[in-house]
Structures are given as C-alpha cells and as structure tokens.
Amino acid sequence: MTPATPSPIFPGHALPSDPAAAPADADAVLDGLDPEQREVALALHGPVCVLAGAGTGKTRAITHRIAYGVRAGILQPASVLAVTFTNRAAGEMRGRLRRLGATGVQARTFHSAALRQLQYFWPRAVGGQLPRLVDRKAPLVAEAATRCRLRLDRSELRDVTGEIEWAKVTQTVPEEYPAAAGAARRSSPRDPAETARIYAVYEQLKRERGVIDFEDVLLLTVGVLQERQDVAEEVRRQYQHFVVDEYQDVSPLQQRLLGLWLGERNSLCVVGDPSQTIYSFTGATPDHLLDFRSRHPGATVVRLIRDYRSTPQVVHLANGLLAQASGRAAEHRLELVSQRAAGPEPVFTEYADEPSEAEGTTRRIRELLDAGASAAEIAVLYRINAQSESYEQALADQGIPYQLRGAERFFERPEVREAGLLLRGAARAGEATDPSLAGADLPGQVRAVLSTRGWTGEPPVGSGAVRDRWESLAALVRLAEDFARARPAATLADFVTELAERASVQHAPPVEGVTLASLHAAKGLEWDAVFLVGLTEGMMPITYAVSEEQIEEERRLLYVGVTRARVHLGLSWSLSRTPGGRGGRRPSRFLDGLRPGSGTQVPGSVPRRLSAVAGVERGAPPRRKRVPARCRVCGRTLTDAGEMKLMRCEDCPSELDEGLYRRLLEWREERAAELSQPAFCLFTDKTLMAIAETVPASAGELAVIPGVRRRKLDRFGAEILALCSGAEPSSEPAAESSGG
C-alpha cells in the first residue's frame, strides 16, 4: 500500500473556514488526499463506485472529487447534484464544498431534491398548486383505522404507520401488501389484511383532503418524470452529474428516481459500505450497491480502507467481527487498516447481573472523566431503548451528566408516564376497590396494573413500537421486583414514591454529557470512548432475528457500534438479569473467537494474552498477512469478490458443466422453498457455478470452494456431491436455519 500523504483533516485539524482560504487551484484541492481518495477525486468520467469502510474519509473523498471537477472546469457547479440521506449530512457536504471553493453545487436529501422539482413542475405537468405536504401521517392513519372499525393503541399506530411507509418505498400497493409483507417476513402489528385495509383508506383520505405525505413526494416525482418526457429532459439538462452517498441505504423507490434523473447517461458516482447496512426494516437494501458493477460493467471501483478514525486495536476487532460474516454483504467486506497510533486494547467484561454491568460501566466512565476525558466524547450504546433506564440511573447516582439520543428519557416515555399514573391511582384506591391487587405481593400488584396496558409474561414477537412499549413496562416490573427484594415490607404506595423520586432526578434540563443511544441511532457518529453493553444472546442478536439475513444484519449492527470508537472500546454482558439470579445467559455468539477464552480465534485475530486486572480480559494482536487469491486458469491475482468466488478471472475460459449447473440451480430452489429462505442464502450463483466448473468428488474438494463454509458443508455437502456424481440427492427436513 502506498503511504498516505499527511492530511490536514485527520486527525484534529480543520479545513479553512472562509472562502478566501480555499485551495488556490484545482491541483491544490488534491493536496492531503491519500492515494485512494485521490483516485476517487480524479475519476470524473463514467460510472464510479466507491466502497468506503468506516472512518476512511468517504465524505472527504467525494467532496474533493466534486471540488476538483469544478475547479478544473470539468464540471459545471449547477450541473452537479449530490444526494445523501439526512439534512445534517447534506449540510456538512455543502459546507465542505464551499470551503473548497466549489459554490453552486446542489447537495440535498432525496426528498428535498424531489420536492423542489415537484413544486417547480407541478403547475405545468398536472395543473394548479402542489397539494399540501402533511408533517405527520399518524393522525390520518388513526382516522383510517377508525373508518375500518379498528382501534389502534399508540404503539400499534406507530407500527402500522411504519408498515405503510415501508410499503410505499418498496412500491407495494394496498392489495399487494399481505403477500409482500409475508415474502419479506415483516412482523406486522396487526393482521396483514387489516393493515392493508387501513393503508387503502389512508390513501383515500389523502385524496379527499388534497394532501400528500413524504413518500408521495418521491412517488409523484417518479410519476411526473415517467409521464412527461419534456419534464424529464429538462431535469436531465439541468443535472448531468450525480453523486450518491450512503448508497447501501437506497430504497427501491429512491433507486427508481435516481434512474429517471440519470436517464441513459453514466455520470454517476456512488459511495457506500455493505457492511454498514442496518436499515433493511425500512426498505433499504444494499443490492443496488452490490450489483453496481453488473449494471455498469465498465465502472471504476475504488476501495477506501485506510481508517483514520480508530486505533489499530479497535480496527482489528472490527475486522475480526466481519471475518465471521456470511451472505452477499460479507463477500464485499473491506478489511480496514488503521492510520492512527496504537491505543489501549478493547476491554471485554463479564458481570454477574445487569445492575452490576451498569455500575461497572459507570465506574469506567468516571475513571475516564477523572483522567481528563470529556463527557461529550463518551457513549454507551445498547440494542434497544428500554436498556437505557439502568444506565440513566447509574449515571445519575454518580452525578455524571448524560443525554439520550434517538429516544425519550425513560420516565418521559408516554407508556412509562401512563403506567405511573395508573400505579398512583391503584395505590390510592387500594385492594378494596381493585380485586386484582388483593393478596398479591408488590411485584404481583405492579404486574396486575401494567397488564391492563400491554404487559405480558412473555415478550411480543417482532420488533418496533409494540416491543419497545413492552420493554419499557417490563423494566418497571423488574424495578418493582428489585425494590421488593430490597424492602420486603414495601407497599405499592412506597413503590410509587420511589418512581417519583427517580423521575425527579432524571428530569433535569438537557446537558452536554455522556451519550446514551441505541446502536441504530449511533450510525454516522463517533466518540473517543464507546461502551457496548448488554451483549448477550437474545439481545445481540435480538431474539426475533431468526433468518440468516436477519442474523447477519445484527452482526453488522454490532460492527457499526465497534467502529464508532476512536480510542477506548468496552464490550460487556451480564450472566443474570437481577442480583442473585440464575446466571444462565451466554455472551453474544458474535464475540466467539474474538473475546479471550472463547475458543478458536477467527480469521483476522490471533491468540491473545489474558489479564485478570479487575476481571478484564485484554489482547494485543498483530496484523495478519493475507494470502492473495489467484486465478486457477491464468494465475493472475484476483481482487473482485465474484472472481474470487469462481477462483478464476471472468474472461478466462470456463469448463462449466451446464447440465450440473442447471441441476444445482433447481436443487437450490427446491431446498430454499423447504427452508422458507431466499435462494441466495443457501449458495450464491457464483458458488454454484464454481461447483459446476470444478465438479468436486469429495467433501475435501468441495470445502475449498469459496462460499462453502463448514455449516453449509455439513448441512448440504452430501446432497451436492450426489448431484456432482449424477445421483439424486436425498435430504431430511431442516430443523433450523442452515445458513453459514
């Protein structure tokens, strides 16, 4: 790897803040870029795909690409449209472009760009004024449910609204929703047929009132561009060069709009990382990024792997985590190389119970603060928002300021406030007026009250608002159990007083403090110190992640969490929920081979030394050497994932047994149907093609083919070898997911 040029932005130095200090000319724009970033900046013609790992400076690369093109006179500023997913990211991009002297370039979100075009062209294309855009669709969804004679509580309303949004971005009409939701394994909050009815009436209500929602902005823009060729040509004359950031998060509807903007041209640069795909539940898919070279065979592909954010120790752990991954995204994973000085080892800590984990994490945060760290540069990240309460309390007990990101403070959540009112009313009324409280202990009384608002002994299936609401109520039940254990004679009134005291401590005005956030809410952010907590089976991966695709998205979610840390990284789990409880929990499977004492080290990690300081296990791994993959025909080094799967160059002669390949495809379709899995989850087309080219005669020969991992070899090896020998495969029904 060519050494990187010292950069004025990594770490700790800002670019000039005023236009007068912008680079002197186009060549000066390239100063400070590393070799791969420079390659991106110079690739101004034809389709370009930038695979950019976490912390590799992707925004820097694409803004310098645009600025270089503008300053060199190759790109006209007004002809460039840079698209990203959040207003914050678009604003940051515009600011960087201004500082680089590239004013006049449009940097917008998909919705913002589409809305602007729709407002401009609507009078000509449709007539009249554009319908009013509703800020919140939930009230209309609630009214639609009422018209359907269905009553939705707050949680169901949020989930049904989310399902309608998913349906629209995947271009699913109401009558097709039940089948589409089933195929996508959606956990619908109501019967899919009921959701479809609500969806249909919601659309009818909008038409009656002449309003549109945010998804309609994209749908209507697509419709105008498809129906009015003159409008499409005018847009294409205006915008001739496109840049799309976070391309792994593009939905089918956004991709369709992008295609209409682009037309038959190929001046497109996309940037993304399939290993950071964590929003598939909203309709986002990495397929457009992964299939980019198939759609654009002559595309320039640049991989950014120099990590300027994290220390070698953090990067090594992130690489090891992805080394265990499977599926399409894993085939395109990037092995990062840290550009920072060495730092402390990631710390793996096992606790006896959840309160101990919260207290232990808080102690480590206090140590960092005492050593001079800023509270704003520390984060505690968890899988679901309901986990925040114990950390809120532990930090409050130590007087450490904190802020919640992406969720209400625990005692401000509507379901918690409602539960508090119900418990207060039950405490005042007493057992005489509520038979369900008679004879029950304190936890039993709390369960009885909260069961009227959705708490059950078992968690609901699936994710979303229903699960979040249950988790909040379950946290109150656990709190009652802990309170009764500490004060056996406590009454319901005592517990209500305890809740009020806790709430008063945590209702302080927002302050700059330690960030508490879910892993999803942490995407795009970074801190000096990150604590990943609650890493047990059932939470990471979450219990409702059952298919191989869902499990792999959970792994990517943890990867995103790991790569948020610049220097300090802590990973922890607890064996029991409560003190003195049965310690039957297991650490997350994703840590196997990474945490010391967890067995065979996975590729990307090496045996670590153990330390017993404060129950912490540490390791200091050197970087491993990678053996290059070579074409089995011509011997050339292979870099493309598809070629590595085939073990040959795409244009080298193939000895494909077409009959065997056809039989393998037919077998895969049948087995995928039996397992209720997408076909590619068993084996990709490339893997089956490689099998049909090599025609293995033994398990050993089959095992060396990329894509045939141990679990798949054990599960399907005999069937594949039977097909290769010309025999008919025999299989037993699978009891579990066979992906691996």
Side-chain angles (χ1 to χ4, degrees):
M1 179 183 290
T2 307
T5 305
S7 167
I9 197 170
F10 298 121
H13 298 282
L15 287 170
S17 58
D18 60 282
D25 53 29
D27 288 340
V29 171
L30 303 178
D31 291 346
L33 297 181
D34 70 32
E36 294 79 30
Q37 292 170 346
R38 188 183 181 93
E39 190 175 346
V40 172
L42 294 173
L44 293 170
H45 302 288
V48 178
C49 178
V50 182
L51 298 175
T56 57
K58 65 181 178 63
T59 304
R60 176 176 170 80
I62 58 177
T63 51
H64 280 68
R65 177 183 186 271
I66 295 170
Y68 176 75
V70 169
R71 300 290 297 275
I74 300 171
L75 304 178
Q76 294 302 311
S79 72
V80 180
L81 178 59
V83 187
T84 187
F85 281 81
T86 67
N87 290 320
R88 181 183 62 82
E92 179 185 354
M93 195 177 292
R94 287 192 294 269
R96 292 195 188 205
L97 289 169
R98 283 195 301 270
R99 293 192 292 270
L100 291 169
T103 57
V105 173
Q106 291 292 315
R108 296 183 173 275
T109 65
F110 269 102
H111 282 88
S112 172
L115 181 59
R116 232 183 135 184
Q117 292 174 20
L118 202 57
Q119 290 169 331
Y120 181 79
F121 290 112
W122 188 268
R124 184 207 310 179
V126 181
Q129 292 296 311
L130 180 69
R132 179 175 62 86
L133 180 65
V134 293
D135 294 329
R136 295 175 60 245
K137 59 172 65 70
L140 275 177
V141 175
E143 186 174 345
T146 301
R147 284 198 182 186
C148 294
R149 299 180 184 275
L150 297 170
R151 183 173 180 176
L152 303 179
D153 63 25
R154 183 186 62 85
S155 300
E156 290 175 322
L157 176 60
R158 191 175 78 177
D159 283 355
V160 169
T161 301
E163 287 303 293
I164 291 174
E165 292 172 348
W166 172 83
K168 298 185 76 165
V169 301
T170 56
Q171 302 167 82
T172 302
V173 295
E175 55 268 27
E176 295 174 356
Y177 170 79
R185 299 183 181 181
R186 303 288 293 181
S187 296
S188 182
R190 300 293 293 244
D191 180 272
E194 292 180 342
T195 301
R197 285 167 51 204
I198 297 171
Y199 177 15
V201 175
Y202 166 77
E203 292 296 316
Q204 179 184 336
L205 278 172
K206 285 194 296 145
R207 289 191 295 270
E208 291 175 359
R209 296 176 187 180
V211 298
I212 59 176
D213 60 27
F214 279 100
E215 288 72 38
D216 289 330
V217 170
L218 300 184
L219 285 164
L220 291 171
T221 306
V222 165
V224 168
L225 294 176
Q226 284 181 326
E227 297 297 325
R228 293 291 299 266
Q229 188 65 26
D230 58 326
V231 171
E233 289 302 323
E234 187 171 340
V235 171
R236 291 167 191 162
R237 284 194 298 272
Q238 171 69 46
Y239 296 117
Q240 299 170 21
H241 309 280
F242 296 86
V243 177
V244 184
D245 193 12
E246 302 288 1
Y247 195 55
Q248 78 277 354
D249 291 332
V250 166
S251 72
L253 180 56
Q254 290 165 331
Q255 176 61 31
R256 189 174 177 187
L257 177 59
L258 178 62
L260 289 167
W261 283 340
L262 196 61
E264 299 300 318
R265 300 163 300 172
N266 65 1
S267 187
L268 171 65
C269 174
V270 301
V271 188
D273 180 6
S275 296
Q276 296 189 68
T277 303
I278 60 172
Y279 297 115
S280 65
F281 61 91
T282 66
T285 170
D287 290 346
H288 307 299
L289 176 63
L290 298 177
D291 295 336
F292 191 83
R293 286 190 70 181
S294 299
R295 298 195 312 275
H296 305 280
T300 298
V301 178
V302 183
R303 292 172 173 81
L304 302 183
I305 63 171
R306 301 176 195 259
D307 187 319
Y308 296 93
R309 175 187 298 160
S310 305
T311 63
Q313 288 73 16
V314 172
V315 167
H316 181 86
L317 180 60
N319 286 338
L321 181 61
L322 285 190
Q324 307 178 67
S326 61
R328 289 197 74 202
E331 294 174 7
H332 296 264
R333 74 180 183 89
L334 301 168
E335 185 161 352
L336 303 178
V337 180
S338 175
Q339 305 298 293
R340 295 192 57 160
E345 296 297 328
V347 177
F348 297 85
T349 310
E350 182 175 280
Y351 293 95
D353 50 67
E354 287 183 6
S356 297
E357 186 176 6
E359 292 166 6
T361 302
T362 301
R363 280 196 303 272
R364 293 199 57 209
I365 291 172
R366 172 55 69 191
E367 291 170 2
L368 290 172
L369 295 175
D370 291 344
S374 165
E377 289 299 338
I378 302 173
V380 178
L381 306 181
Y382 33 76
R383 178 60 180 85
I384 60 174
N385 288 327
Q387 292 172 273
S388 73
E389 194 272 339
S390 58
Y391 293 90
E392 293 178 56
Q393 186 63 53
L395 290 167
D397 288 345
Q398 291 295 317
I400 298 174
Y402 66 88
Q403 56 181 337
L404 278 168
R405 183 177 182 88
E408 306 101 328
R409 297 166 65 89
F410 180 80
F411 285 102
E412 292 177 357
R413 295 172 191 166
E415 63 269 24
V416 175
R417 296 175 68 179
E418 181 185 25
L421 291 173
L422 289 171
L423 291 169
R424 191 176 306 123
R428 282 199 303 265
E431 299 179 7
T433 57
D434 191 342
S436 67
L437 305 182
D441 59 7
L442 172 58
Q445 291 177 332
V446 171
R447 294 188 199 102
V449 173
L450 298 187
S451 64
T452 65
R453 288 298 181 269
W455 180 85
T456 58
E458 294 295 328
V461 177
S463 58
V466 173
R467 177 76 182 213
D468 287 347
R469 178 184 175 88
W470 183 91
E471 293 285 358
S472 294
L473 297 179
L476 291 175
V477 171
R478 292 195 296 269
L479 189 60
E481 293 170 348
D482 295 343
F483 187 67
R485 191 177 299 110
R487 295 177 54 185
T491 64
L492 186 57
D494 294 330
F495 181 63
V496 168
T497 301
E498 172 72 7
L499 288 180
E501 291 175 355
R502 286 172 174 259
S504 66
V505 172
Q506 298 178 21
H507 278 176
V511 293
E512 282 294 314
V514 173
T515 299
L516 300 179
S518 71
L519 288 163
H520 281 104
K523 178 73 165 63
L525 304 174
E526 58 187 82
W527 296 270
D528 286 342
V530 169
F531 295 91
L532 303 175
V533 300
L535 301 181
T536 60
E537 283 292 307
M539 192 59 74
M540 178 56 66
I542 200 76
T543 50
Y544 49 78
V546 292
S547 69
E548 182 178 10
E549 290 174 278
Q550 292 168 332
I551 295 293
E552 288 306 314
E553 181 150 337
E554 292 287 299
R555 187 193 309 276
R556 294 194 295 271
L557 188 57
L558 181 57
Y559 173 78
V560 166
V562 168
T563 55
R564 299 310 94 195
R566 299 190 192 106
V567 181
H568 301 278
L569 177 62
L571 305 96
S572 63
W573 60 93
S574 56
L575 299 179
S576 173
R577 179 173 61 81
T578 59
R582 186 174 63 86
R585 288 176 168 177
R586 292 175 45 244
S588 169
R589 71 189 75 173
F590 299 146
L591 302 182
D592 291 348
L594 297 176
R595 61 184 177 87
S598 61
T600 305
Q601 301 292 302
V602 300
S605 65
V606 298
R608 303 161 182 256
R609 68 179 185 272
L610 300 181
S611 170
V613 178
V616 174
E617 301 172 326
R618 309 182 181 212
R623 192 181 306 150
R624 70 185 176 95
K625 294 183 178 180
R626 300 185 65 184
V627 178
R630 299 188 182 279
C631 175
R632 55 188 166 84
V633 180
C634 70
R636 183 178 69 85
T637 299
L638 303 176
T639 57
D640 178 74
E643 293 180 341
M644 294 170 70
K645 183 83 73 174
L646 288 174
M647 300 185 291
R648 65 169 175 81
C649 305
E650 287 279 4
D651 51 0
C652 276
S654 167
E655 298 178 354
L656 178 70
D657 184 330
E658 294 186 1
L660 173 58
Y661 183 53
R662 186 173 58 255
R663 292 196 301 276
L664 287 167
L665 289 173
E666 292 171 352
W667 166 85
R668 183 183 65 175
E669 290 299 322
E670 293 174 0
R671 296 295 274 128
E674 292 174 12
L675 295 167
S676 299
Q677 290 186 354
F680 70 82
C681 285
L682 273 69
F683 295 100
T684 64
D685 290 350
K686 295 284 189 183
T687 297
L688 295 185
M689 189 176 293
I691 293 171
E693 289 183 1
T694 57
V695 193
S698 67
E701 293 177 5
L702 179 60
V704 300
I705 296 175
V708 183
R709 294 181 174 83
R710 183 73 212 177
R711 288 179 61 199
K712 293 188 178 183
L713 180 66
D714 293 342
R715 186 68 187 88
F716 301 116
E719 297 172 55
I720 293 175
L721 292 173
L723 286 166
C724 291
S725 68
E728 287 297 321
S730 61
S731 63
E732 297 296 329
E736 61 179 0
S737 172
S738 52

